[in-house]
Amino acid sequence: MKLARYEVVRELGKGAMGIVYLAKDPLIGRLVALKTIRPATGDDDEAKEFQERFVREAQAAGILSHSAIVTVHDIGQDPESGVSFIAMEYIEGSNLKEVLQQGTPFDHFQVAEVVSQVADAIDYAHSKGIIHRDVKPANIILCGEARAKITDFGIAKIASGVSNLTTTGQFLGTPNYMAPEQIKGTKIDGRTDIFSLGIVFYEALSRRKPFGGDSLTTISYKIVHEPFPPLRDIDPSIPEGFEEIIGRCLAKDPADRYQRARELANDIRAIVRGEALERQVDSSAFEETVMSHDGEKIPTMEIPFPEADSEATAIGSEGRLESSATRARRAAAGATAATAAPVAAATPAARTARRAPSAIARPAAAQLRQLITSKISAPVFFGIIAIILIPLTIGVIAIKQGEVPVPEVDEQRAAVVARQRLLRQQGTAHLRRGNVEAAYASFQELHKIAPKSPMVINVLGKLDEIRIQDMTQQQRLGQAKTIFDEGRLLYDERNYEDAIPLFEEAFHLDPNLNEAVNYLKMSREQLAVQARSTERAETRAELARVTEQGSQSSAQPNGQTTSQPARQQPATLVTSFKGTVNDGYILVKVNGETIVYENLSEEPKGFLRRRVPRDIAKRSEVPSGRVEIEVWVVVQRLGIQEQRKLQETLQPGSVRSLIVTLDPGSKRLTLTLS
């Protein structure tokens, strides 16, 4: 089966509106994920709208180039079936939804790494004016080594004002992961994606949705009005800082959330590094007031004992002697506060009351004291008070004199905990720098201290996998070098025909082995030279035979004889490339024969280094006369796949320069022959 030029390999998935295939681009031999949509019929409004959204997905994602965003290579329509398609980067791996459903071991720090990568990606998209609007586990692909990519910008809104296709009032997004403003139909922005990512973070940590329900109405109501269940009630091992971060993501008011996704990523990484978040101080926690039901603030005051004798003096609540008139004024104030306190407990301001317990607890104490004194005479009452106060006074004096021993701190245990924290931070730092061996050593030492820690065991297992992959990669590179050396020996023996397959195999095993590319090109050139030499030798032999047979008849009437045609010299073509890209390759053919096949970037030596542009300048011997020059430039990450042709006459022995220029911004390719 084929769709346009793409060769379908197998089906990857199927939905209500189309199928996703694994396909091969025969032009460059690249595997792609081919997302298709069935053609819309004349009266199928839903299919038409979905097709508009489908095209917009390519337009939105096509302008994004980020390591954590699935790249869109191409968009088109099959001329025979009318099926529209998007050719996307093919990622081998499972999405986060599948991982969570399968119960795959996934510790808190791995979840944090995935969410921080997605936060970086959506922050980049927001900077380009793109809001995803459907951030959910099914759209986050895990591709090994805690690497994540977000996909499916199918309902992304371009912030510059493109129609969002919501005229019918329908929901765009997945209900469980919507923000309050999406449900209410109000204005959305990048903070909407942050709310959805907060739900993903919560679910990945706890394996539960923060706003669950049996119906869309229930879920929507909880998202708009109700708080999420505390994370640490579900799993106390979840770091406390993660719950604080999620609380800020899931704020109902966008103004209370993170304003940029990169701020969210920074806070997550700070918790992973063992750093404390900077907490905002709530001034209401220290305000010594009680809120009444109508919002008025009533001053906090001390509540005295009721008067035992209208004429006598008594001990006040602060231990000083007070007159009966003073006690009367304080009792009146206490009654006012006692009336206000129960109302305050039923209001949101009760949190403030809990922070100032004296304002609420004292009315209840006053009622208790009133009950006691109404039944007991003053001498008996003060005797009870003395019995209570004497032991307390003795206890205070004993503490001041050092008679109560102070518990000793377990310094050995504290040192072990500090050592564990240090090793975890060191291992995480090594991982971020790409030093797998150093990270493995840190976590191995941590495993000796905490042999039963699930997190440490899981991290060591992942590091073992990475080390095995590294060893496999090293073996591939070694094998590529061995095969290249074999091809080099054949090249030196001028056995170009047998050397070419070896150079091709070496380049396949190690795409960064530029020597293999150079020798492959030179082998083909030399093979072509050999072929031309053989052809010329055969031509000369045939000409000599014909000349010998007809030497007498070849004389002209004026006495001159026919001379052998002069040998035509080849021309030289110098190919250079101008364009700053970190990916892709250039292919140049003259009369169908490849003369240049070069990577446009190279990867410096070292672990996890970024690719950098290469300087291309290749000198090639080409036939003289009328030739056709064909140039291909392919840059996968930018979705560039450009081809240009030109016809030119090359004089024998001439040297011409072919300058290939690519503008990454406009994706425009130009050829200049001088």
Side-chain angles (χ1 to χ4, degrees):
M1 178 180 173
K2 293 188 68 175
L3 286 173
R5 74 170 186 273
Y6 295 95
E7 301 171 355
V8 174
V9 178
R10 59 184 171 89
E11 182 179 310
L12 294 176
K14 183 180 295 185
M17 303 301 291
I19 302 174
V20 180
Y21 296 102
L22 174 63
K24 182 179 181 181
D25 185 348
L27 189 62
I28 56 176
R30 175 176 58 196
L31 290 176
V32 297
L34 210 60
K35 189 172 184 180
T36 66
I37 179 175
R38 62 178 173 81
T41 57
D43 56 350
D44 192 344
D45 293 336
E46 181 182 358
K48 288 181 179 178
E49 182 175 5
F50 192 86
Q51 192 160 19
E52 289 181 50
R53 196 177 304 151
F54 184 85
V55 173
R56 189 178 60 195
E57 174 176 350
Q59 294 172 340
I63 68 174
L64 303 178
S65 177
H66 190 276
S67 60
I69 297 178
V70 174
T71 304
V72 172
H73 297 307
D74 189 17
I75 181 173
Q77 188 176 57
D78 183 62
E80 297 183 2
S81 62
V83 173
S84 298
F85 63 83
I86 298 175
M88 309 170 69
E89 178 185 7
Y90 172 60
I91 307 295
E92 292 187 6
S94 302
N95 63 51
L96 182 56
K97 179 181 179 181
E98 295 169 341
V99 170
L100 297 178
Q101 288 177 342
Q102 294 165 2
T104 305
F106 206 45
D107 67 45
H108 306 323
F109 294 103
Q110 288 176 308
V111 171
E113 179 62 27
V114 167
V115 173
S116 61
Q117 290 179 29
V118 175
D120 287 336
I122 65 174
D123 184 81
Y124 167 81
H126 295 165
S127 71
K128 299 296 183 182
I130 302 295
I131 305 169
H132 192 289
R133 297 203 298 175
D134 196 19
V135 177
K136 59 184 179 181
N139 285 337
I140 298 173
I141 301 175
L142 306 180
C143 38
E145 302 181 21
R147 289 179 56 243
K149 283 179 176 281
I150 185 167
T151 186
D152 199 355
F153 281 78
I155 60 172
K157 175 186 176 183
I158 300 180
S160 58
V162 177
S163 171
N164 59 10
L165 302 177
T166 57
T167 55
T168 60
Q170 70 203 50
F171 279 135
L172 292 183
T174 306
N176 283 107
Y177 303 94
M178 284 185 176
E181 58 268 26
Q182 281 180 293
I183 293 173
K184 292 186 289 187
T186 57
K187 181 181 178 181
I188 69 171
D189 55 28
R191 295 171 294 184
T192 303
D193 286 345
I194 293 175
F195 188 96
S196 301
L197 186 56
I199 295 179
V200 173
F201 197 9
Y202 184 102
E203 182 179 0
L205 288 172
S206 66
R207 305 299 173 102
R208 299 183 188 180
K209 292 181 175 63
F211 308 107
D214 298 330
S215 66
L216 176 61
T217 302
T218 303
I219 295 170
S220 301
Y221 180 85
K222 288 183 177 181
I223 290 174
V224 175
H225 298 288
E226 294 187 1
F228 60 86
L231 264 177
R232 291 170 62 81
D233 289 356
I234 301 172
D235 183 358
S237 67
I238 295 174
E240 183 179 356
F242 286 168
E243 183 162 11
E244 183 177 345
I245 289 172
I246 290 174
R248 190 171 174 188
C249 291
L250 299 185
K252 307 299 184 185
D253 186 348
D256 296 332
R257 298 176 203 154
Y258 288 100
Q259 301 303 294
R260 291 289 300 270
R262 67 184 179 192
E263 298 173 2
L264 166 60
N266 292 339
D267 275 4
I268 291 175
R269 289 174 176 134
I271 294 297
V272 171
R273 292 192 300 267
E275 301 172 2
L277 298 180
E278 293 184 3
R279 303 174 186 272
Q280 294 182 347
V281 178
D282 184 3
S283 60
S284 65
F286 305 98
E287 185 179 1
E288 294 198 358
T289 58
V290 177
M291 299 297 294
S292 68
H293 67 282
D294 58 358
E296 294 181 356
K297 294 183 179 181
I298 301 175
T300 301
M301 58 191 67
E302 299 292 340
I303 308 300
F305 285 108
E307 291 183 83
D309 189 337
S310 59
E311 296 299 329
T313 59
I315 299 177
S317 61
E318 296 182 358
R320 62 181 180 269
L321 295 177
E322 298 173 336
S323 67
S324 59
T326 302
R327 291 198 304 274
R329 288 194 299 272
R330 293 174 63 83
T336 305
T339 304
V343 178
T347 66
R351 292 191 298 270
T352 305
R354 285 197 295 272
R355 295 188 180 99
S358 61
I360 295 179
R362 286 180 181 134
Q367 294 174 5
L368 178 61
R369 289 193 294 271
Q370 184 177 4
L371 177 63
I372 293 173
T373 55
S374 66
K375 302 296 182 180
I376 304 174
S377 63
V380 175
F381 174 76
F382 288 114
I384 294 173
I385 295 299
I387 292 172
I388 295 173
L389 290 178
I390 289 171
L392 289 176
T393 303
I394 294 173
V396 170
I397 294 172
I399 291 173
K400 291 183 177 179
Q401 292 179 349
E403 296 178 359
V404 178
V406 179
E408 295 183 359
V409 177
D410 188 348
E411 296 182 358
Q412 184 177 1
R413 174 60 182 167
V416 171
V417 172
R419 179 62 176 165
Q420 289 178 345
R421 183 183 301 109
L422 177 61
L423 289 172
R424 185 176 68 250
Q425 292 173 352
Q426 288 177 344
T428 303
H430 288 315
L431 277 179
R432 292 190 175 282
R433 290 193 292 267
N435 193 339
V436 175
E437 292 301 325
Y440 187 79
S442 295
F443 281 103
Q444 263 195 328
E445 188 173 351
L446 180 58
H447 184 254
K448 294 176 183 178
I449 303 174
K452 296 182 179 180
S453 170
M455 183 274 291
V456 177
I457 294 172
N458 189 38
V459 170
L460 283 176
K462 294 294 184 182
L463 289 175
D464 273 328
E465 293 178 6
I466 296 173
R467 294 172 75 221
I468 292 173
Q469 291 174 359
D470 289 344
M471 292 174 60
T472 303
Q473 177 66 10
Q474 292 300 322
Q475 291 174 354
R476 286 171 59 91
L477 297 180
Q479 185 180 1
K481 188 65 170 62
T482 301
I483 294 174
F484 169 76
D485 291 339
E486 294 176 3
R488 177 71 180 274
L489 292 174
L490 293 174
Y491 179 88
D492 293 340
E493 296 172 358
R494 298 186 179 182
N495 187 355
Y496 308 116
E497 187 172 359
D498 292 338
I500 288 174
L502 295 178
F503 292 139
E504 289 177 340
E505 184 178 358
F507 179 70
H508 176 73
L509 291 172
D510 182 6
N512 294 320
L513 189 58
N514 294 322
E515 288 181 298
V517 177
N518 295 335
Y519 272 91
L520 178 61
K521 182 200 69 173
M522 292 189 296
S523 297
R524 288 172 174 166
E525 291 175 350
Q526 294 299 329
L527 192 62
V529 170
Q530 284 183 345
R532 288 195 295 269
S533 299
T534 302
E535 183 180 354
R536 286 196 296 269
E538 292 175 351
T539 301
R540 286 195 296 270
E542 179 66 20
L543 181 60
R545 184 180 64 80
V546 172
T547 303
E548 184 179 356
Q549 291 178 354
S551 57
Q552 299 298 326
S553 59
S554 62
Q556 298 299 323
N558 58 5
Q560 296 179 347
T561 59
T562 304
S563 61
Q564 183 178 346
R567 177 177 177 272
Q568 191 173 19
Q569 291 182 344
T572 300
L573 187 64
V574 180
T575 305
S576 60
F577 176 80
K578 294 183 178 180
T580 306
V581 292
N582 296 333
D583 189 20
Y585 63 87
I586 180 173
L587 175 67
V588 180
K589 295 182 178 181
V590 175
N591 290 344
E593 182 180 342
T594 300
I595 64 168
V596 176
Y597 184 29
E598 297 288 340
N599 287 330
L600 299 178
S601 62
E602 60 185 354
E603 186 173 337
K605 299 299 181 182
F607 188 77
L608 293 179
R609 297 292 184 85
R610 299 183 62 181
R611 300 186 69 86
V612 296
R614 285 183 61 207
D615 293 329
I616 306 295
K618 294 296 178 181
R619 188 182 185 92
S620 309
E621 186 178 277
V622 298
S624 57
R626 191 69 174 173
V627 297
E628 180 184 70
I629 302 174
E630 183 178 7
V631 178
W632 281 92
V633 174
V634 177
V635 183
Q636 294 91 336
R637 291 186 182 276
L638 299 181
I640 296 175
Q641 187 173 293
E642 296 293 323
Q643 179 193 25
R644 296 288 185 274
K645 291 183 180 180
L646 57 85
Q647 303 284 340
E648 187 68 21
T649 299
L650 304 179
Q651 298 298 325
S654 63
V655 178
R656 305 290 296 275
S657 294
L658 174 63
I659 301 174
V660 182
T661 304
L662 174 67
D663 181 4
S666 63
K667 300 182 181 180
R668 182 181 178 185
L669 181 69
T670 57
L671 306 182
T672 304
L673 190 62
S674 59

